[in-house]
């Protein structure tokens, strides 16, 4: 069995803070997916979820298996912040990432849906 070759994307999630801020106990989910296939669901390469309090931003070290990467495909990050099944924030524009080793740091801006 081939050895797993993990690579890491350092991802910072930023968003405008409302006057009330985020409630405690939000769920923050970051997903790395292959979005290449038209009319087909994205294929998840990595996903990380954390429970958080009223922070202003979040930092992730998202690990993925580089053996799953095909340089012909397109990969994107997707982020969501949810509280009690209510979607509070998400990335509203595509965040395409290069997984060829040239891009290790990504900053994403989240907005209200």
């Amino acid at each position: 069995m081939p050895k797993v070759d993990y690579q890491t994307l350092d991802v910072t999630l930023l968003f405008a803070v409302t006057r009330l801020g985020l409630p405690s106990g939000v769920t923050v989910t970051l997903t790395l997916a292959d979005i290449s296939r038209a009319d087909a669901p994205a294929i998840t390469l990595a996903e990380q979820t954390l429970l958080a309090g009223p922070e202003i931003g979040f930092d992730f070290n998202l690990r993925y298996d580089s053996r799953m990467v095909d340089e012909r495909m397109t990969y994107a990050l997707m982020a969501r912040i949810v509280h009690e099944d209510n979607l509070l924030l998400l990335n509203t524009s595509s965040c395409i990432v290069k997984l060829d080793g040239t891009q290790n740091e990504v900053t994403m801006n989240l907005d209200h849906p």
Side-chain angles (χ1 to χ4, degrees):
M1 175 181 268
K3 183 179 177 185
V4 176
D5 182 19
Y6 285 113
Q7 298 295 321
T8 303
L9 281 175
D10 297 325
V11 182
T12 300
L13 302 181
L14 299 176
F15 48 88
V17 179
T18 63
R19 288 185 317 144
L20 301 176
L22 289 177
S24 293
V26 296
T27 302
V28 184
T29 303
L30 179 66
T31 305
L32 173 64
D34 177 347
I35 60 166
S36 303
R37 294 161 183 86
D39 299 326
I43 298 171
T44 299
L45 274 69
E47 186 169 86
Q48 187 176 350
T49 300
L50 60 91
L51 293 175
E55 286 90 356
I56 296 174
F58 299 97
D59 293 317
F60 284 85
N61 299 107
L62 187 65
R63 288 179 28 161
Y64 64 94
D65 183 353
S66 64
R67 296 175 308 156
M68 297 177 66
V69 175
D70 182 336
E71 63 187 29
R72 299 170 297 171
M73 302 303 176
T74 302
Y75 300 95
L77 288 167
M78 296 166 273
R80 301 168 56 90
I81 298 179
V82 176
H83 183 256
E84 297 177 353
D85 294 327
N86 293 314
L87 180 61
L88 301 180
L89 298 164
L90 74 159
N91 59 302
T92 55
S93 59
S94 296
C95 184
I96 306 298
V97 291
K98 293 181 181 181
L99 300 181
D100 60 2
T102 62
Q103 182 179 18
N104 297 323
E105 297 180 6
V106 179
T107 300
M108 296 176 68
N109 291 308
L110 306 184
D111 294 307
H112 295 280

